[in-house]
């Protein structure tokens, strides 16, 4: 059941804040899987600690990996013999339900996977079919979705697979992350419509190379991982750039300024697209060695944007568009109908409910700004919807965000950070 509602705080003037972000969920979970396969102890510095990453930690521990907290800031990961029987709670985490099954094939014993009710509706067929093709035993209920069981044999033959990853890049990443330990490695070909969020696959490839794994991505939409040992890691996790979206957008809609320290000059995170998006919407965007600073005029410009490669930004960008000076078009995001909720339908329903003109079509939204008013902003157990609702409420009195605790999926301190920003406080670093 949803938790208590949250009256979104209204800004009394331009926001002027420095917001220190927690680590990237996507990087944290990739590093955790690689560390579980490593030949020695790995150290993750400043990993994200959220529901999704704790579910990943729990999954790896259930398989025999030792993960120790160090001073509340780092994790030490000691690989062990992967084993069952084990039960994996995927929650609503796509990373867990798609990254851990290829790893479970290397375990000895049965590994059962299940998750939240909505997780049972999220696409899984491409990765389960691929695992069967490379020699992994998968038992399901007749539907290629949660729940299912991997009957691990302690080894995976590997080989070549062709999949349709048009609903999620995580299918490719999940197969690549464990493939160095497969007897023949793996070659993954994509055949189908355009792969969403290609930067996330680039992130996976870079993480594998950081661990000394040989990856060949020279052929378009084909990835080859050679069998090899996986080196131990000692890495500091970058800030989660997608989680910066609503904070930077706060500067845009209030005519203020927000600085995010530690923004990397070079990154594989799809959230880096914010720099170009906000610039096109009329903000002043400046990146230097101290971080990223965004300043706004108080009224963003309408935009025509393809968010196919950075679809997790869609809820906040849609909220920005509802407060723009003209119509906007968001395209290329049909696949987010299979995320935590059908995000296109949810955004149309909730933004329309607050007064915006929103037309939903197959792969996006057409948004026509109209005077906004207060009301309940439902969030559908989706963390990104909480962030979108908070942004609208920043300049629209009376917005009440349902179930704010669901944001714990990626940013447990969001409500505190947001409230502190609006109040002009300087919160301690995350």
């Amino acid at each position: 059941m949803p938790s208590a509602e949250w009256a979104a705080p209204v800004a009394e003037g331009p926001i002027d804040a420095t917001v220190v972000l927690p680590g990237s969920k996507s990087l944290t979970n990739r590093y955790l899987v690689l560390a579980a396969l490593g030949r020695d102890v790995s150290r993750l510095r400043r990993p994200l600690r959220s529901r999704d990453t704790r579910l990943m930690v729990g999954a790896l521990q259930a398989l025999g990996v030792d993960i120790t907290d160090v001073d509340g800031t780092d994790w030490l990961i000691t690989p062990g013999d992967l084993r069952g029987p084990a039960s994996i709670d995927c929650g609503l985490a796509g990373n867990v339900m798609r990254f851990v099954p290829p790893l479970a094939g290397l375990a000895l014993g049965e590994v059962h996977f299940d998750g939240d009710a909505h997780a049972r509706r999220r696409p899984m067929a491409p990765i389960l079919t691929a695992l069967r093709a490379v020699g992994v035993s998968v038992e399901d209920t007749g539907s290629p979705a949660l729940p299912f069981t991997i009957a691990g044999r302690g080894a995976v033959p590997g080989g070549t697979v062709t999949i349709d990853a048009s609903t999620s890049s995580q299918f490719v990443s999940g197969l690549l992350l464990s493939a160095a330990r497969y007897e023949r490695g793996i070659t993954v070909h994509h055949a189908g419509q355009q792969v969403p969020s290609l930067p996330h696959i680039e992130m996976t490839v870079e993480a594998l190379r950081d661990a000394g794994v040989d990856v060949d991505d020279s052929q378009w939409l084909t990835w080859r991982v050679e069998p090899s040992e996986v080196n131990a890691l000692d890495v500091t996790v970058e800030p989660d750039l997608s989680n910066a979206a609503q904070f930077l957008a706060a500067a845009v809609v209030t005519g203020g300024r927000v600085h995010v320290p530690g923004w990397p000059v070079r990154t594989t995170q799809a959230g880096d697209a914010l720099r170009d998006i906000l610039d096109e919407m009329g903000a002043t965007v400046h990146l230097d060695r101290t971080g990223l600073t965004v300043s706004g005029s108080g009224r963003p410009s309408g935009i025509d944007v393809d968010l196919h490669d950075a679809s997790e930004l869609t809820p906040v960008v849609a909220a920005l568009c509802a407060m723009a000076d003209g119509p906007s078009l968001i395209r290329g995001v049909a696949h987010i109908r299979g995320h935590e909720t059908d995000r296109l339908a949810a955004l149309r329903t909730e933004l329309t409910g607050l007064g915006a003109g929103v037309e939903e079509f197959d792969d996006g939204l057409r948004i026509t700004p109209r005077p906004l008013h207060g009301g309940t902003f439902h969030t559908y157990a989706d963390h990104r919807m909480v962030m979108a609702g908070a942004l609208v409420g920043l300049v629209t009195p009376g917005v009440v965000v349902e179930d704010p605790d669901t944001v714990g999926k990626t940013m447990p301190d969001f409500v505190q950070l947001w409230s502190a920003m609006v109040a002009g406080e300087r919160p301690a670093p995350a």
Side-chain angles (χ1 to χ4, degrees), residues 355-381:
V358 183
E359 178 187 352
E360 176 188 348
F361 53 96
D362 180 57
D363 77 335
L365 300 169
R366 185 174 287 105
I367 301 172
T368 303
R370 295 173 182 163
L372 298 177
H373 55 75
T376 298
F377 194 91
H378 301 94
T379 56
Y380 309 88

Side-chain angles (χ1 to χ4, degrees), residues 403-428:
D403 192 16
D405 288 351
T406 198
V407 85
K409 175 180 173 68
T410 54
M411 201 173 189
D413 296 332
F414 169 71
V415 170
Q416 293 86 344
L417 284 170
W418 188 260
S419 299
M421 177 192 72
V422 177
E425 301 171 4
R426 301 294 181 188

